[in-house]
Amino acid sequence: MKLCIALDMPDTQQNLALLQSLKISQEIWVKVGLRSFIRDGKEFLTQIKSLGDFKIFLDLKLYDIPNTMGDSIDEIAKLGVDMVTIHASSGREAMNEVTKRLQNTSNPPLTMAVTALTSFHNKSFFEIYHRNLKAQVLDFAKMAYESGINGVVCSCLESKAIKETIHSDFLTLTPAIRPFGEDSGDQKRTATLQDAKAAMTDFIVVGRPIYKAQNPKEVVWKILNSIAN
């Protein structure tokens, strides 16, 4: 299981200062989401790389017509990031197009398909998709796997079922991790570190419990030690 730190702070310098304080020998992934990328652009990725050997997860959640998603993934592949997200609900044709484009790319990023946002609960998900959340997540995961996508973004509540139903090597990334039971904030389907272990998740995303801590580095070490043990 890999730790991915969400760089969701209010400004560029705060994000960079956080990374500067987290220079450690162990592998750490960092998530650059919509807010940071819209504000700071490609230059922010270059700044992250200059600070250390961080793995970069560009979380833009692409959702468009197949050709536009293909063109977008072509451009993302040029950025030198290590992982990127698309929406599984963009459909099989779009996911196939993304996979096809990346086959012609050297060192392509891992591509993860978002199933159901962790801000959804069963009722709010049904209002949009008119289907049981867990059942639809499994269908999204199956479609992504068959399209050649590397894995899915899901909650810990679905990760184990995806591993058991689709394939044990199909990657799962779980946001909304509150490692030691911290406040859930605006997330509906949160999980602890122990939940993530039990769910066999491959990547956990942790944001506020790290960057709002008095000593973020101490929290990171605590998480990494817990993962190792």
Side-chain angles (χ1 to χ4, degrees), residues 112-154:
M112 308 293 283
V114 177
T115 54
L117 299 172
T118 48
S119 57
F120 279 128
H121 49 58
N122 284 312
K123 182 180 178 182
S124 57
F125 185 86
F126 189 85
E127 286 175 343
I128 296 173
Y129 293 97
H130 305 292
R131 186 122 189 266
N132 171 272
L133 189 152
K134 187 173 181 179
Q136 185 60 60
V137 165
L138 287 173
D139 279 356
F140 278 150
K142 183 173 184 289
M143 184 164 53
Y145 179 74
E146 291 172 350
S147 301
I149 301 301
N150 298 108
V152 290
V153 181
C154 61

Side-chain angles (χ1 to χ4, degrees), residues 38-91:
I38 290 170
R39 182 186 61 219
D40 304 321
K42 295 187 291 186
E43 293 76 13
F44 185 46
L45 306 180
T46 302
Q47 289 174 303
I48 292 172
K49 292 174 185 177
S50 73
L51 289 177
D53 191 25
F54 294 106
K55 297 284 189 180
I56 299 177
F57 163 32
L58 186 59
D59 186 24
L60 301 183
K61 300 182 178 71
L62 301 184
Y63 191 139
D64 215 307
I65 63 173
N67 190 62
T68 300
M69 285 182 64
D71 289 344
S72 299
I73 209 73
D74 284 344
E75 296 303 321
I76 287 173
K78 298 173 186 176
L79 299 176
V81 298
D82 302 284
M83 182 159 58
V84 65
T85 47
I86 64 174
H87 268 286
S89 53
S90 62

Side-chain angles (χ1 to χ4, degrees), residues 3-215:
L3 169 64
C4 182
I5 300 170
L7 300 181
D8 292 335
M9 299 178 80
D11 63 62
T12 314
Q13 292 310 312
Q14 286 181 317
N15 282 326
L16 294 175
L18 174 66
L19 290 184
Q20 190 76 257
S21 72
L22 296 178
K23 286 187 175 180
I24 57 178
S25 58
Q26 290 180 258
E27 180 181 278
I28 290 181
W29 289 66
V30 293
K31 179 180 81 76
V32 177
L34 274 174
R35 180 189 195 183
S36 293
F37 194 71
I38 290 170
R39 182 186 61 219
D40 304 321
K42 295 187 291 186
E43 293 76 13
F44 185 46
L45 306 180
T46 302
Q47 289 174 303
I48 292 172
K49 292 174 185 177
S50 73
L51 289 177
D53 191 25
F54 294 106
K55 297 284 189 180
I56 299 177
F57 163 32
L58 186 59
D59 186 24
L60 301 183
K61 300 182 178 71
L62 301 184
Y63 191 139
D64 215 307
I65 63 173
N67 190 62
T68 300
M69 285 182 64
D71 289 344
S72 299
I73 209 73
D74 284 344
E75 296 303 321
I76 287 173
K78 298 173 186 176
L79 299 176
V81 298
D82 302 284
M83 182 159 58
V84 65
T85 47
I86 64 174
H87 268 286
S89 53
S90 62
R92 189 182 300 272
E93 186 180 347
M95 289 192 284
N96 284 335
E97 183 66 21
V98 167
T99 300
K100 183 178 76 174
R101 299 290 188 100
L102 288 176
Q103 286 173 346
N104 300 319
T105 303
S106 59
N107 300 315
L110 293 173
T111 308
M112 308 293 283
V114 177
T115 54
L117 299 172
T118 48
S119 57
F120 279 128
H121 49 58
N122 284 312
K123 182 180 178 182
S124 57
F125 185 86
F126 189 85
E127 286 175 343
I128 296 173
Y129 293 97
H130 305 292
R131 186 122 189 266
N132 171 272
L133 189 152
K134 187 173 181 179
Q136 185 60 60
V137 165
L138 287 173
D139 279 356
F140 278 150
K142 183 173 184 289
M143 184 164 53
Y145 179 74
E146 291 172 350
S147 301
I149 301 301
N150 298 108
V152 290
V153 181
C154 61
S155 84
C156 277
L157 299 174
E158 298 98 36
S159 177
K160 188 175 181 181
I162 289 168
K163 292 280 191 179
E164 292 174 344
T165 305
I166 310 299
H167 198 286
S168 60
D169 292 335
F170 191 52
L171 300 174
T172 58
L173 180 150
T174 55
I177 299 298
R178 299 297 183 259
F180 309 106
E182 296 88 346
D183 181 69
S184 61
D186 59 347
Q187 301 283 13
K188 301 296 190 298
R189 290 164 21 254
T190 60
T192 66
L193 199 52
Q194 291 304 314
D195 294 331
K197 286 183 178 182
M200 301 185 290
T201 187
D202 298 285
F203 296 90
I204 56 168
V205 180
V206 184
R208 280 166 277 192
I210 291 174
Y211 63 72
K212 288 194 172 183
Q214 286 190 337
N215 189 336

